[in-house]
């Protein structure tokens, strides 16, 4: 009997055109092929030629089609007509909207530009938005990083000239042991998944350090369920063990770090500062001569164990101070085990494994290279241990020092910028001195006196007024958080409402859902946004907001400038901002309108080009006062940050044949589109490792416009900048901190990594609130962006609170139960679920799944609104009162990063369970209404 199989077309034609652009569904910025059918988006797949994802695409990227067609999209500019928070708006024209914005902002610029606070979320165009704010003249600008990742970025820049996250990656081709610390699953997910697949196929081991075993940690060979906030102590214990065993790379430390630099040991205003020559270069002792020499002198062999007497003062090396500190018994595995929730035996085992792989499995690549001292090396030494870390260790009040501890561990092993280790992506590495200092000089009617954000070198760089008060509304770069490289977005509304340090007139925000998941103290922030003074006026007089979707924040604005979706806009993923480089190549990319909007919306950056021209801002108008950039595409093509350097590096010059440097090219965007939406320039072989010290890399970077001259430097195990702040706390120098901050500065701004308990542990009763509570982002969502997406909602329609076995059994929980979760600030009642692979004193949930009723065009009975919830209701932007009458920010004292992973709670069974998650706020009236029950449309036939 013959059986005939049915004929199935396994490759149906899904499109009549493919348009290549860049995904916007997370921070990966993958290349995508957008299949078009009769002018509509039919299908999205990965671009196999793209350097980031090489064709791989995740659920978020594929679901971009639903992001583009979401019913929650805003449709036209809006002017508030009801009370703030009511969601009552009327549609207006763009001309009227921009006239209102101009009428509000122009008087501020002429009288006091600091009355404008302009803060943006995860907008991926921060070099442009900061350009607008700088030309307006306000000091009050920053982006999302202070709420998210500044500890990671700043710790990396100050320690080794670059950071984890989007700015570096493991050497996936050579690493044999990979450790992840606190890595979320939504960021950089495709490259990490590809890398993990590559190294596991080779038999390399993966160790995951995270209180929660999900995602990457679920496939790790070894999972370390650490107690939240103790990662730094665990890392310093590993360092203790490595030092005791002598398993550190002494040659690497002597050549490439400040371990041999001499430090003043005398009491007084020079204590702890480097000994320098007449040119300001740090001095080392040359082993060949026994005499001081500049660190970069040709032929010098720095001595790690030297001491030197000058003018009666003894100077010893950083290495000696480091060894004395971390070999102290307080860092032994036995001393830290209980605090970290890891056995002493486990700590020793991991330390031994790291040492074995780093040194016993070391290898060499036959690549000749010349270092910055002029010495040629025939080979490159590989140490196949690599690390990666993210928000989990960063979003604590000890996060900066924890991140520095991890960098110290990497550097002691000699695993940064070597084969098998961690590698920087251009434009990094850069020394701290290559970055600007922050600026805050305000002049009515004029631009700010320089860039808003940067890296301080000491107290002289703080953003303080003449009377010592903060110059910025968020109090960035003050004695409260002196090294706050990304600003403090989470403190803007609280400070503006309190009039501390001063009152503002207009709050202008983009993609910052501050009334919901981008704020701690959600209910309090909502009240601040709607609060009125004694005269009946809003305490924050005007709020302008831009978003593509009807988020929770929309109802709290007075004027809405509707943005496009990412498939309808021009965007620039720039080397000036957040590029898509790989360790072996510089790369950038664009987005372009593969679809024209069917609504009266504009790309926010294009709207700023128009608004900047209406305000007559320098940089946005020509000499005759006419608008300089017609839209953002015009800006991307023709703007020059300095001669020959613009937003895009590829196809520059009038003929389009120059890369990195060159005059604007009118066809540049078309060249990017022809190339699949991206540009890549590979680093020459032999220049792709040892980047901070490799002369060939430095020359290549100058040619690409990353630097104007070679910038070799030493990794900073000891950060002298931090010691300058401690000296000020001891009474030295002209700029002095307030008395109440002196002890904290001495304790937390230690120039060598140190661990201290999270601040919330000091101000709440940890016996009453014994449980740690965390949020984590799932692979299928990025921030809150996909939470209204019709496809992604099917993966995460609501979020339970995951409870470990010990707490589950102690409370008698059963499947379907609910719990009351209480913090020092508030209470929520939420559904719970049992999870065994979880630190026994920690509960957690997915972040930003919970939605407020009425937002995002969701049904009022949508599971996101009835069973979904936010832990943010339990957190406050301020710590609980200490009884001293001061407002202490719930932030890292070095950078000001929000410390929302410090949260402590207690948990009890809710009996009877509520009908829906609590607190349950009244629905928001949305300008787009409610979406259809079914999201359905037909593309082609």
């Amino acid at each position: 009997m013959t059986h005939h199989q049915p004929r199935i077309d396994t490759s149906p034609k899904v499109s009549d055109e493919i348009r290549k652009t860049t995904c916007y569904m997370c921070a990966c910025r993958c290349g995508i092929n957008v299949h078009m059918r009769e002018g509509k988006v039919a299908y999205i797949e990965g671009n196999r030629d793209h350097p980031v994802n090489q064709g791989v695409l995740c659920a978020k990227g594929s679901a971009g089609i639903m992001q583009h067609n979401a019913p929650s999209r805003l449709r036209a500019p809006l002017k508030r007509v009801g009370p703030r928070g009511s969601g009552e708006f009327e549609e207006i024209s763009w001309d009227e909207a921009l006239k209102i914005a101009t009428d509000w902002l122009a008087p501020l610029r002429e009288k006091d530009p600091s009355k404008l606070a302009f803060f943006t979320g995860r907008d991926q165009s921060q070099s442009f938005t900061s350009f607008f704010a700088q030309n307006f003249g306000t000091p009050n600008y920053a982006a999302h990083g202070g709420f998210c990742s500044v500890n990671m970025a700043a710790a990396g820049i100050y320690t080794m000239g670059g950071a984890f996250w989007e700015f570096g990656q493991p050497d996936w081709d050579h690493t044999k042991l990979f450790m992840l610390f606190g890595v979320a699953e939504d960021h950089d997910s495709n490259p990490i998944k590809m890398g993990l697949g590559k190294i596991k196929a080779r038999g390399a081991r993966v160790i995951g350090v995270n209180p929660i075993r999900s995602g990457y940690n679920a496939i790790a060979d070894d999972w370390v369920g650490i107690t939240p906030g103790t990662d730094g102590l665990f890392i310093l214990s590993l360092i203790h063990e490595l030092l005791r065993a002598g398993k550190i790379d002494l040659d690497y430390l002597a050549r490439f770090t400040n371990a041999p630099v001499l430090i003043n040991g005398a009491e007084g205003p020079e204590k702890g500062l480097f000994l320098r020559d007449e040119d300001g270069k740090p001095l080392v002792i040359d082993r060949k001569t026994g005499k001081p020499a500049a660190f970069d002198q040709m032929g010098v062999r720095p001595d790690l164990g030297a001491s030197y007497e000058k003018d009666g003062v003894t100077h010893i090396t950083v290495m000696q101070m480091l060894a004395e500190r971390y070999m102290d018994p307080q860092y032994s595995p036995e001393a830290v085990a209980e605090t970290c929730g890891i056995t002493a035996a486990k700590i020793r085992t991991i330390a031994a494994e790291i040492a074995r792989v780093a040194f016993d499995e070391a290898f060499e690549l036959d690549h000749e290279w010349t270092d910055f001292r002029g010495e040629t090396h025939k080979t490159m030494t590989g140490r196949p241990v690599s690390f990666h870390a993210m928000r989990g260790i960063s979003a604590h009040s000890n996060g900066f020092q924890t991140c520095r501890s991890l960098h110290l561990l990497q550097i002691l092993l000699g695993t940064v910028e070597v084969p098998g280790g961690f590698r920087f992506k251009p434009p990094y590495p850069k020394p701290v001195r290559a970055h600007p200092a922050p600026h805050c000089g305000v002049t009515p009617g004029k631009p700010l006196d320089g860039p808003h954000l940067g890296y301080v070198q000491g107290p002289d760089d703080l953003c303080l007024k003449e009377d010592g008060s903060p110059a910025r509304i968020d109090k960035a770069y003050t004695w409260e958080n002196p090294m706050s490289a990304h600003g403090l977005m989470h403190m803007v509304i609280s400070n503006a409402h309190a009039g501390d340090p001063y009152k503002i007139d207009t709050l202008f925000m983009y993609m910052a859902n501050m009334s919901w998941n981008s704020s701690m103290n959600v209910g309090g922030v909502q009240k601040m946004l709607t609060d009125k003074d004694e005269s009946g006026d809003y305490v924050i007089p005007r709020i302008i907001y831009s978003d593509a979707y009807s988020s929770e924040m929309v109802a709290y604005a007075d004027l809405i400038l509707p943005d496009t979706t990412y498939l309808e806009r021009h965007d620039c993923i720039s080397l000036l901002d957040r590029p898509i480089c790989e360790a072996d190549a510089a790369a950038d990319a664009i987005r372009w309108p593969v679809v024209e909007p069917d609504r009266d919306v504009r790309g926010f950056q294009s709207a700023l080009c128009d608004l900047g021209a209406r305000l007559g801002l320098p940089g946005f108008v020509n000499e005759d006062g006419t608008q300089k950039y017609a839209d953002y595409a015009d800006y991307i093509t023709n703007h020059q940050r300095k001669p020959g350097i613009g937003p895009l590096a590829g196809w520059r010059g009038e003929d389009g044949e120059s890369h990195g440097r060159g005059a604007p090219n009118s066809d540049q965007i078309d060249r990017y589109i022809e190339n699949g939406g991206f540009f890549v320039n590979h680093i020459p072989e032999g220049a792709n490792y040892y980047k901070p010290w490799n002369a060939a890399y430095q020359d290549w970077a100058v040619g690409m416009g990353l630097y104007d001259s070679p910038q070799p430097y030493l990794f900073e195990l000891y950060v002298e900048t931090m010691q300058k702040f401690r000296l000020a706390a001891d009474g030295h120098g002209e700029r002095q901190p307030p008395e109440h901050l002196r002890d904290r500065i001495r304790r937390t701004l230690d120039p060598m990594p140190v661990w201290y308990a999270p601040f919330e542990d000091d101000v709440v009763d940890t016996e009453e609130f014994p449980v740690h509570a965390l949020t984590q982002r799932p692979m299928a969502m990025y921030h809150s962006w996909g939470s209204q997406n019709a496809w992604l909602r099917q993966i995460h329609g609501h979020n339970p609170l995951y409870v470990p076995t010990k707490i589950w059994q102690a409370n008698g929980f059963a499947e379907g139960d609910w719990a009351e979760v209480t913090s020092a600030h508030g209470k929520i009642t939420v559904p719970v679920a049992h999870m065994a692979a979880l630190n026994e004193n920690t509960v957690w949930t997915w972040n930003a799944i919970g939605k407020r009723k009425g937002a995002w065009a969701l049904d009022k009975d949508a599971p996101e609104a009835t069973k979904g919830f936010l832990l943010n209701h339990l957190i406050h932007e301020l710590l609980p009162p200490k009884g001293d009458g001061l407002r202490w920010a719930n932030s890292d004292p070095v950078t000001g990063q929000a410390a929302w992973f410090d949260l402590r709670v207690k948990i009890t069974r809710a009996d009877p369970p509520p009908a829906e998650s609590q607190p349950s706020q009244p629905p928001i009236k949305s300008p787009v209404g409610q979406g259809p029950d079914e999201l359905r449309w037909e593309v082609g036939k």
Side-chain angles (χ1 to χ4, degrees), residues 76 100 106 116 119 151 282 297 333 340 403 430 507 556 587 603 612 676 756 875:
I100 290 171
L116 168 65
F119 284 75
N151 277 334
Q297 182 176 307
C340 296
C403 295
K430 290 182 181 180
L507 176 64
Y556 293 91
Y756 51 87
I875 315 173

Side-chain angles (χ1 to χ4, degrees), residues 708-749:
D708 286 335
S709 63
Q711 298 284 328
Y713 62 97
L714 298 177
F715 286 169
E716 299 198 19
L717 308 181
Y718 180 102
V719 176
E720 188 184 37
T721 293
M722 301 181 76
Q723 180 63 12
K724 293 177 182 178
F725 287 105
R726 295 175 93 200
L727 287 171
D730 287 336
H732 302 295
E734 293 184 7
R735 274 193 164 176
Q736 291 289 295
E739 287 298 320
H740 70 279
L741 290 174
R742 290 184 189 273
D743 286 342
R744 190 174 85 164
I745 290 169
R746 293 187 195 102
R747 179 166 67 105
T748 61
L749 270 80

Side-chain angles (χ1 to χ4, degrees), residues 193-215:
K193 286 181 287 189
M194 293 159 61
L196 285 169
K198 182 180 288 188
I199 66 173
K200 287 182 77 70
R202 281 205 325 271
R205 281 179 55 76
V206 177
I207 301 176
V209 182
N210 197 313
I212 304 158
R213 189 167 198 182
S214 64

Side-chain angles (χ1 to χ4, degrees), residues 63-78:
I65 188 171
M66 292 294 180
Q67 206 80 359
H68 169 65
N69 289 290
S72 56
R73 293 174 301 167
L74 295 170
R75 297 164 187 161
L78 301 167

Side-chain angles (χ1 to χ4, degrees), residues 404-683:
R404 284 212 68 229
S405 298
L406 183 52
H407 299 321
L408 175 61
L409 172 61
Q410 295 174 277
I411 293 166
L412 289 173
L413 291 166
T415 65
V416 181
E417 265 304 315
V418 302
F422 173 81
R423 306 177 65 197
F424 294 118
K425 300 178 182 180
Y428 297 94
K430 290 182 181 180
V432 171
R433 66 174 182 269
H435 295 268
H439 292 75
C440 60
V442 175
T443 303
K446 301 291 184 182
L448 200 68
D449 62 338
H452 300 84
L453 306 177
Y455 292 85
V456 300
Q457 300 293 304
D460 289 345
D461 291 331
L462 292 178
C463 290
L464 301 174
K465 295 183 178 180
E466 291 185 6
D467 63 1
S469 65
R472 292 174 52 110
I473 188 65
D474 60 355
K475 300 186 182 179
Y477 304 107
T478 65
W479 294 106
E480 290 189 30
N481 28 252
M483 298 164 70
S484 44
H486 289 175
L488 283 74
M489 187 176 79
H490 57 290
M491 295 304 300
V492 173
I493 292 171
S494 175
N495 290 354
H497 179 265
D500 177 19
Y502 49 80
K503 291 187 176 296
I504 64 168
D505 179 275
T506 300
L507 176 64
F508 190 179
M509 308 197 89
Y510 172 50
M511 274 184 59
N513 197 6
M514 300 303 292
S515 74
W516 198 245
N517 62 284
S518 289
S519 277
M520 304 184 283
N521 183 22
V522 177
V525 168
Q526 291 171 351
K527 291 177 181 177
M528 295 175 200
L529 293 171
T530 56
D531 195 19
K532 295 185 177 181
D533 58 24
E534 294 178 355
S535 62
D537 297 323
Y538 287 113
V539 173
I540 301 176
R542 298 182 178 94
I543 299 175
I544 305 173
Y545 185 56
S546 180
D547 203 323
Y549 305 98
S550 183
S551 68
E552 286 86 355
M553 183 62 197
V554 166
Y556 293 91
D558 305 310
L559 179 66
I560 301 293
L561 305 179
D563 194 17
T564 64
T565 73
Y566 73 101
L567 295 178
E568 300 169 321
R569 62 186 299 126
H570 280 100
D571 261 331
C572 176
I573 299 94
S574 169
L575 285 164
L576 300 178
D577 196 352
R578 311 183 78 106
I580 56 163
C581 301
E582 296 297 302
D584 288 318
D588 58 16
I590 64 163
R591 297 185 187 93
W592 59 284
V594 299
V595 185
E596 290 297 324
D598 59 358
R599 310 163 315 288
D600 191 15
V601 298
R602 296 183 185 177
F604 176 67
Q605 293 78 8
S606 291
L608 279 190
C609 288
D610 193 337
L611 181 58
R614 290 170 183 248
L615 291 166
L617 303 186
F620 286 83
V621 292
N622 299 306
E623 291 185 4
D624 63 0
T626 56
Q627 185 167 332
K628 188 169 186 177
Y629 303 113
D631 53 22
Y632 192 41
D634 191 2
Y635 170 91
I636 291 170
T637 302
N638 292 304
H639 175 71
Q640 294 188 80
R641 192 52 53 101
K642 56 186 177 181
I645 304 294
L648 292 174
W651 298 287
R652 301 193 65 80
E654 292 183 5
D655 59 1
E657 298 303 317
S658 298
H659 303 306
R661 298 177 182 270
N665 168 24
S666 60
D667 296 325
Q668 188 180 40
I669 288 179
D670 289 337
R671 295 293 297 272
Y672 271 80
I673 294 172
E674 292 167 8
N675 197 57
F678 65 91
F679 161 79
V680 175
N681 187 11
H682 289 277
I683 299 168

Side-chain angles (χ1 to χ4, degrees), residues 924-941:
I924 292 176
K925 183 178 180 182
S926 169
V928 301
Q930 183 180 310
D933 292 336
E934 290 187 1
L935 190 59
R936 182 192 300 269
W937 67 93
E938 187 174 8
V939 179
K941 299 293 184 183

